[in-house]
Amino acid sequence: MKRVSRREFVTVAGIGAAAAPFVLRAPKLHAAAPTAQEIVDRIKQRVGVAWKPETVDGFKAGDPSTPVTGIVTTAMATMSVLQEAVKQRANLVITFEPTYYSKADSPTPPAGRRGGGPGTPPPEAPADPVFTAKREFIAKNNLVVWRFNDHWRARTPNPLVQGLSASLGLASSTAADAGQRFDVHATTLDALVIDVKKKLGSRGGMRIVGDPHLRVQRVGLLPGSTPIQDTLKLLPTVDCVIAGEVREWESVEYARDLVTAGQPKSLIAIGRIVSEDPGMRVCADWLGTIVPEVKSHWVTVGDPYWRPL
């Protein structure tokens, strides 16, 4: 065995002592992942609008105390979106629209409207396999679903308009009226429809009112579901309104009567979900600034319709 001289020993010991703090230092402990409730509390503090005592926003499924591994934002928590969230290892799904097909967002089918008589509760609806499968998938994968509608669209500027305009390439256009109106390069209604369809990936949900050859230079955006009052305010100031969902017997017929009267106006209905979808991409970007320790992804729902050839 080789003998180590005193000088060599001191040298080696010195190196070891110098290295010791680096070798023996305990690794930094990662902060505990925030829970779904903690993230929601942070959203309420930062959203920039007063939180309403009565709102559709809130937890719709899962345990709010669940530590969050990732966030998915979406226009609607469809089964395909939930499956994608699991694939991405994200367990908090923030949805703009209901998860269970109605405003009540109940995880069971709605009961019938009529009871057996005065004071008798309505009959209980039988179990439905789609409701059941969705509920069980959420539970099995420990997902938490939170709806964010009333307060997200109440922000200024409107994030739904921001998202839709960006998707259509209108974000840098000259805008007025809180960003609802945008100047575009002069084009025809037909060419505009083709451009909108391509940029939004619409498969068949688009419906158009107006002359295909109409010259369009200014468009107005009405994403989501909007009443006729919004159309009455916006349509006189633009050549074309690109809307999400409007009632056929309201805004659609009003626009059609304008066209019949010879007015150079038009309406493109792109569908509610398609119009709201890009606004939830804005939400994912915003969440990245207030919950930087958890990754946020936007998952598109896509156009639910298709058109026969």
Side-chain angles (χ1 to χ4, degrees):
M1 180 177 176
K2 181 183 176 182
R3 294 176 63 86
V4 179
S5 70
R6 177 184 168 93
R7 180 177 295 177
E8 287 174 330
F9 177 83
V10 170
T11 302
V12 172
I15 294 173
F22 298 96
V23 174
L24 301 177
R25 182 180 295 163
K28 286 186 177 180
L29 295 176
H30 292 289
T35 66
Q37 184 64 65
E38 288 170 340
I39 290 175
V40 167
D41 290 342
R42 209 178 298 184
I43 289 172
K44 289 181 178 181
Q45 292 169 0
R46 307 282 186 88
V47 70
V49 297
W51 203 261
K52 301 176 182 179
E54 293 185 11
T55 175
V56 299
D57 295 350
F59 288 102
K60 305 302 176 181
D63 183 355
S65 66
T66 302
V68 174
T69 57
I71 303 171
V72 155
T73 67
T74 185
M76 181 172 279
T78 62
M79 277 301 300
S80 61
V81 168
L82 296 174
Q83 289 168 347
E84 182 61 26
V86 171
K87 204 178 292 184
Q88 294 190 17
R89 301 182 184 277
N91 60 351
L92 174 58
V93 178
I94 296 180
T95 177
F96 189 76
E97 293 294 357
T99 302
Y100 291 107
Y101 323 110
S102 69
K103 186 176 181 179
D105 230 349
S106 171
T108 56
R113 294 187 178 182
R114 298 176 181 233
T120 305
E124 190 172 320
D128 177 271
V130 177
F131 277 82
T132 301
K134 195 169 198 178
R135 190 173 64 245
E136 290 179 349
F137 181 88
I138 290 171
K140 178 183 176 182
N141 291 282
N142 299 313
L143 298 177
V144 180
V145 181
W146 186 70
R147 189 174 179 194
F148 191 25
N149 180 296
D150 288 340
H151 299 86
W152 181 238
R153 60 188 170 90
R155 283 171 59 86
T156 302
N158 185 332
L160 298 184
V161 173
Q162 285 182 301
L164 182 57
S165 63
S167 291
L168 294 176
L170 303 176
S172 60
S173 300
T174 302
D177 192 19
Q180 281 187 297
R181 295 184 295 178
F182 297 85
D183 293 329
V184 298
H185 293 297
T187 185
T188 64
L189 176 60
D190 188 50
L192 177 63
V193 168
I194 292 172
D195 188 56
V196 170
K197 174 178 168 53
K198 179 181 178 182
K199 287 177 175 173
L200 297 182
S202 297
R203 301 188 308 162
M206 294 178 65
R207 292 184 287 180
I208 299 90
V209 176
D211 179 359
H213 305 293
L214 174 71
R215 182 180 173 85
V216 177
Q217 290 184 283
R218 173 166 282 193
V219 301
L221 302 184
L222 290 178
S225 179
T226 52
I228 189 173
Q229 289 81 1
D230 290 353
T231 303
L232 294 177
K233 179 181 177 184
L234 189 58
L235 191 53
T237 67
V238 297
D239 305 312
C240 177
V241 166
I242 301 175
E245 179 183 81
V246 292
R247 291 190 178 96
E248 287 190 354
W249 50 273
E250 290 185 347
S251 297
V252 171
E253 292 304 330
Y254 177 80
R256 182 156 71 160
D257 281 347
L258 270 180
V259 173
T260 301
Q263 293 294 312
K265 300 294 179 180
S266 58
L267 173 73
I268 303 174
I270 59 177
R272 180 170 180 160
I273 298 301
V274 170
S275 73
E276 294 169 344
D277 219 1
M280 293 310 285
R281 176 169 53 192
V282 177
C283 184
D285 293 341
W286 176 72
L287 285 171
T289 67
I290 70 165
V291 194
E293 66 270 40
V294 179
K295 197 162 186 180
S296 297
H297 301 271
W298 169 65
V299 175
T300 180
V301 181
D303 189 349
Y305 302 105
W306 60 273
R307 187 184 301 276
L309 299 175

